[in-house]
Amino acid sequence: MRALLLLFALLALLPGTAAARLVVGPPEAWQSKPADRDLADIRRSGVLRVLVNQSRNSSGEVKGEAIGVEYGRLRAFEHYLNRDPNLKAITLKLIPMAKDQLLGALQRGEGDLVAPGERLVTTGAREVTRSRAVVADVPLVLVGRQGGPTYKNLEQLSGRSLALSAGSAAAPHVNRLNRQLMAQNRSPVAIEWVDPTLAVEDVLEMVQAGIYVATVVEQPIAERWSRVMPKLRIERRLTLGEPADMSWFVQRQAPMLRASVDRFLSEYRPPENQDAVFERVYRRLYKVQSPLDRIGRQRLDKVKETLQRHAEAQAFDWLNLAALAFKESTLNPAARGAGGAVGLMQVTPATARSLGVDNIAALDNNVRASAQYLALIRRKFFSSPRLNERERMAFTLAAYNMGPQRVQSLRAEARRRGLNPDQWFFQVERVAMETMGMGVVSYVSSVNKYYQAYARERFSLESGPRSAAR
């Protein structure tokens, strides 16, 4: 006993920094993990928390109509859980988050079930168990663009680039292919990890546009999006790794929930017309095109100095202005649009006059008015340090398109629903999709994709005598 007391006394004399190292990460990671919940606990609470992949492919909803592949299954599962009227009803609470964060959140007890709609990499997820197959034996296929490079085998990808979104199940297989290539003294495949604002459907749209050369995705996802993106080319013979199941996931400490999920999935059959809404919504949407083809580069060269000058004056990245200009007018200073909007940035005379700018048919005045208006919106409504710069720009663009007050109301509704009001992509945009449709969502998404396309070529675009500051 005396030895133990001496040991405790010595530990108390250790420097404070040593003790501080024990507190790493948020307190719940080591101290206050929520209690394990199985089906009985879930039924008592009345809520099943479902962690869903935030991509529109997996969990999108437009004006009350589901376009996400998991929505129909989850609603059917909710009905299955409530088939006995003598038991307390369970309501599903959907919690959208990035694909690569889903299993970690499940292990931390932030949800009861993961429904990703894609294959997941489960390395390190020891406290998690997968359900029976939602879709069995799903291959990962190479997807390119009609008219782009063709390949007879995977080794021909040597020295090429593949665009992958965070958490892609293709990454381990590309790494394995690279080890084989390097053992043959050949160049590896370059994985281009795309910006986190881009989900799998965004990457596919950029492949169709020719911005990315190719990607690798689950074949059912490629097949689904090829129906609304006809320029995609699916290389069905070129698969990476062995086919694997797409599944749902629960905690190991929830065997009754797992058993219920498995029984449901063994009986569930998706309706034949489950993609009718998806196809109707996406077939009429504006399609992204490459802003850096020959004509696009020529047009950008002509207006680059003006964009750079006014971007610098208002503390913007000039490529954001370029992306907006491409979306508004395909970089055509003579463009005329609806409601009297004119010029490169499609500014209205009334907006320009409110900023003290006249003659917006002139390129310099047109860009100046647009940059000043964007800066005014950003300063007045989105200056909070809680916003990172990508999200700040997204909110500013949304307000440029539909008005600041409407965007603020969407943020308030997102907060009420438990979504992140400081994140446009996949969070506030979800409220916009559900209440207003795809208009502003498609607008901000398109500008963001053009920005990503330009940012990949920043060095070449900013070199040369025409380039001014920034």
Side-chain angles (χ1 to χ4, degrees):
M1 182 69 180
R2 186 174 299 172
L4 282 173
L5 290 173
L6 179 60
L7 175 61
F8 289 143
L10 289 171
L11 288 172
L13 293 175
L14 288 174
T17 53
R21 282 197 293 270
L22 296 175
V23 186
V24 179
E28 63 269 23
W30 62 276
Q31 189 176 20
S32 56
K33 179 183 182 294
D36 297 325
R37 284 165 41 108
D38 205 346
L39 188 57
D41 309 290
I42 291 165
R43 195 169 291 281
R44 276 193 294 271
S45 73
V47 176
L48 174 67
R49 302 165 302 161
V50 184
L51 298 159
V52 294
N53 184 352
Q54 64 191 7
S55 82
R56 292 173 287 278
N57 176 73
S58 294
S59 63
E61 184 177 336
V62 178
K63 288 189 174 181
E65 295 185 293
I67 59 173
V69 291
E70 289 293 7
Y71 264 26
R73 256 189 299 267
L74 287 169
R75 294 308 177 201
F77 182 50
E78 184 178 43
H79 181 75
Y80 175 84
L81 291 172
N82 294 321
R83 65 195 184 282
D84 187 343
N86 298 314
L87 295 177
K88 183 177 179 179
I90 295 175
T91 300
L92 268 57
K93 177 184 179 183
L94 305 187
I95 306 169
M97 60 176 55
K99 176 184 174 182
D100 59 342
Q101 298 173 10
L102 290 169
L103 293 183
L106 180 63
Q107 290 188 114
R108 293 191 298 272
E110 296 171 17
D112 307 303
L113 172 69
V114 167
E118 301 177 31
R119 284 172 51 177
L120 289 187
V121 177
T122 58
T123 305
R126 296 185 181 87
E127 301 305 315
V128 165
T129 181
R130 66 170 62 239
S131 71
R132 67 178 296 146
V134 172
V135 183
D137 298 325
V138 175
L140 296 166
V141 294
L142 183 70
V143 182
R145 181 177 186 266
Q146 299 287 349
T150 59
Y151 308 95
K152 294 182 179 179
N153 53 62
L154 292 175
E155 286 72 18
Q156 290 180 323
L157 291 172
S158 172
R160 303 277 187 166
S161 174
L162 287 177
L164 299 180
S165 54
S168 170
H173 303 291
V174 177
N175 290 334
R176 188 174 301 118
L177 173 62
N178 280 340
R179 288 194 291 272
Q180 295 171 4
L181 290 171
M182 289 187 288
Q184 301 167 12
N185 293 319
R186 302 179 68 179
S187 299
V189 179
I191 297 179
E192 181 174 358
W193 292 107
V194 303
D195 191 85
T197 59
L198 303 174
V200 61
E201 62 271 14
D202 300 308
V203 176
L204 288 170
E205 188 173 10
M206 294 173 79
V207 168
Q208 172 172 259
I211 296 169
Y212 296 134
V213 175
T215 187
V216 175
V217 301
E218 294 83 346
Q219 185 168 328
I221 296 175
E223 302 280 5
R224 186 180 198 233
W225 286 90
S226 68
R227 297 203 295 273
V228 294
M229 299 180 188
K231 292 182 181 178
L232 291 177
R233 187 182 66 243
I234 304 172
E235 303 284 4
R236 294 172 181 83
R237 296 178 298 102
L238 298 184
T239 61
L240 275 79
E242 295 298 320
D245 296 344
M246 291 200 302
S247 304
W248 288 355
F249 297 83
V250 300
Q251 290 190 345
R252 289 192 182 279
Q253 296 81 3
M256 298 307 295
L257 176 60
R258 159 72 189 277
S260 185
V261 167
D262 283 349
R263 284 195 299 271
F264 162 74
L265 291 174
S266 70
E267 301 171 7
Y268 177 72
R269 298 295 179 271
E272 291 184 4
N273 65 341
Q274 67 173 344
D275 278 347
V277 174
F278 160 77
E279 292 185 33
R280 186 177 75 246
V281 167
Y282 272 95
R283 275 201 175 125
R284 64 173 182 255
L285 278 184
Y286 176 90
K287 298 293 192 301
V288 166
Q289 55 189 301
S290 174
L292 287 169
D293 59 12
R294 182 178 58 83
I295 295 175
R297 283 183 179 269
Q298 289 173 352
R299 288 184 174 182
L300 184 59
D301 274 345
K302 291 177 181 178
V303 299
K304 177 166 67 173
E305 184 179 355
T306 303
L307 291 169
Q308 288 176 322
R309 182 160 24 87
H310 290 294
E312 182 182 29
Q314 303 299 335
F316 283 112
D317 183 340
W318 76 278
L319 294 181
N320 276 317
L321 293 191
L324 177 57
F326 191 87
K327 168 64 175 140
E328 291 285 0
S329 68
T330 59
L331 298 176
N332 178 10
R336 293 191 173 273
V342 299
L344 190 78
M345 312 300 290
Q346 290 295 282
V347 180
T348 63
T351 298
R353 281 195 300 271
S354 71
L355 299 163
V357 181
D358 296 318
N359 187 24
I360 53 172
L363 175 64
D364 190 79
N365 288 351
N366 194 278
V367 176
R368 176 156 65 97
S370 177
Q372 287 182 358
Y373 184 48
L374 286 166
L376 175 66
I377 293 171
R378 181 182 60 184
R379 181 176 66 253
K380 191 172 181 181
F381 296 96
F382 308 115
S383 60
S384 169
R386 295 194 309 270
L387 302 177
N388 67 42
E389 288 309 310
R390 262 332 289 137
E391 299 295 343
R392 193 188 317 282
M393 191 67 205
F395 281 118
T396 302
L397 289 168
Y400 188 87
N401 177 255
M402 64 186 295
Q405 297 298 346
R406 296 175 78 185
V407 175
Q408 294 294 59
S409 69
L410 293 175
R411 294 180 73 194
E413 176 63 13
R415 183 181 290 107
R416 188 188 70 78
R417 296 189 189 187
L419 299 171
N420 184 354
D422 298 327
Q423 182 182 329
W424 170 264
F425 294 105
F426 309 118
Q427 297 286 308
V428 177
E429 76 164 14
R430 180 176 292 267
V431 180
M433 287 170 59
E434 293 175 11
T435 59
M436 301 169 59
M438 286 295 293
V440 68
V441 174
S442 178
Y443 181 88
V444 176
S445 178
S446 296
V447 177
N448 180 51
K449 287 167 188 161
Y450 294 137
Y451 173 80
Q452 301 297 335
Y454 285 138
R456 297 172 74 238
E457 303 292 333
R458 184 184 293 275
F459 179 79
S460 64
L461 293 176
E462 293 185 341
S463 61
R466 287 189 182 88
S467 195
R470 212 163 186 247

